[in-house]
Amino acid sequence: MKIFSYSYEEYVERVRTFHDFAAPGVVIGGFMIELVYQHLPKEGLLNAICETPKCLPDAVQILTAKTVGNGRLTVLNLGRFALIFYDISSGKGIRVSLDPAQVEAWPQIKSWLFKQKPKKEQDYSLLMEQIRESGTDICRIEHVRVASRFLEKKRRGQMAICPKCKEAYPLADGMICLGCQGEPVYVTGKN
């Protein structure tokens, strides 16, 4: 059983090093990405979308050159354990998600996915064993076309100084920066 060029054990160790824990979701994500690459065309420039901020973005960043920082990985908080890899010119891609019907056969994975037990009550060893045994069998694969908004080139454009916080920001965001338009991320002053 391979996940890209890694054995299962090698991949779990990479997850442990990157994520600081061999998280079940990141390990499952590796199988999902392996499945995507089995069905993608060999040519074209690909981007990725994760439909959850939990675990899957780490799997994408461990196994591919798609990162949030280089703009080739978009992370959405849709609450679905799914990802899409798509061609940036056509929008055609492959979506892989966990299939609840297939997960049904794996009680530890089902318990993990549906949060039926608190993490400390889960049998981690048995969960990881079931993840290894199930591999890509618990996944659903679909051919999709991403929405056009994901195909638009994102450019920062002209920069300005925010009159409120005095920091540089993209002028296209409005008269003041997005940080000053929304809820504060931090408060200043002594604690």
Side-chain angles (χ1 to χ4, degrees):
M1 171 128 350
K2 290 278 199 186
I3 299 173
F4 274 47
S5 62
Y6 302 106
S7 70
Y8 176 82
E9 293 78 14
E10 290 168 335
Y11 178 65
V12 168
E13 188 53 38
R14 294 263 334 221
V15 170
R16 184 176 286 111
T17 301
F18 184 87
H19 192 81
D20 203 28
F21 169 66
V26 184
V27 177
I28 291 171
F31 284 113
M32 293 169 75
I33 295 165
E34 174 66 30
L35 186 58
V36 163
Y37 273 85
Q38 290 173 13
H39 290 86
L40 282 171
K42 301 299 179 218
E43 66 283 336
L45 186 58
L46 303 173
N47 278 1
I49 299 171
C50 288
E51 297 182 27
T52 178
K54 307 287 185 185
C55 293
L56 278 181
D58 285 356
V60 172
Q61 293 179 114
I62 289 169
L63 292 173
T64 74
K66 293 148 196 34
T67 69
V68 173
N70 69 16
R72 296 188 54 211
L73 170 60
T74 300
V75 180
L76 305 174
N77 192 3
L78 302 180
R80 300 186 294 207
F81 204 78
L83 51 80
I84 302 168
F85 279 61
Y86 64 95
D87 180 275
I88 64 169
S89 59
S90 70
K92 291 180 182 178
I94 303 292
R95 181 178 187 268
V96 175
S97 60
L98 289 184
D99 186 340
Q102 298 301 320
V103 167
E104 194 67 38
W106 304 93
Q108 294 300 316
I109 299 173
K110 179 182 177 185
S111 179
W112 168 82
L113 178 63
F114 291 102
K115 308 294 184 228
Q116 294 174 333
K117 292 181 187 176
K119 191 181 284 189
K120 63 183 174 193
E121 292 178 23
Q122 294 174 7
D123 185 335
Y124 177 79
S125 296
L126 186 53
L127 172 59
M128 295 303 283
E129 183 180 316
Q130 287 187 5
I131 290 169
R132 179 185 186 143
E133 289 175 19
S134 66
T136 60
D137 292 346
I138 57 175
C139 299
R140 176 187 303 155
I141 188 163
E142 303 170 83
H143 292 266
V144 299
R145 183 183 304 268
V146 298
S148 60
R149 66 187 168 112
F150 295 107
L151 302 177
E152 297 168 0
K153 274 280 200 200
K154 295 175 182 109
R155 304 217 188 277
R156 283 180 108 179
Q158 187 177 0
M159 300 293 284
I161 304 279
C162 175
K164 286 185 86 172
C165 68
K166 309 294 186 229
E167 293 192 33
Y169 77 103
L171 190 55
D173 290 346
M175 296 301 292
I176 60 175
C177 74
L178 291 178
C180 290
Q181 289 179 40
E183 289 191 35
V185 176
Y186 60 90
V187 293
T188 58
K190 294 182 180 180
N191 293 338

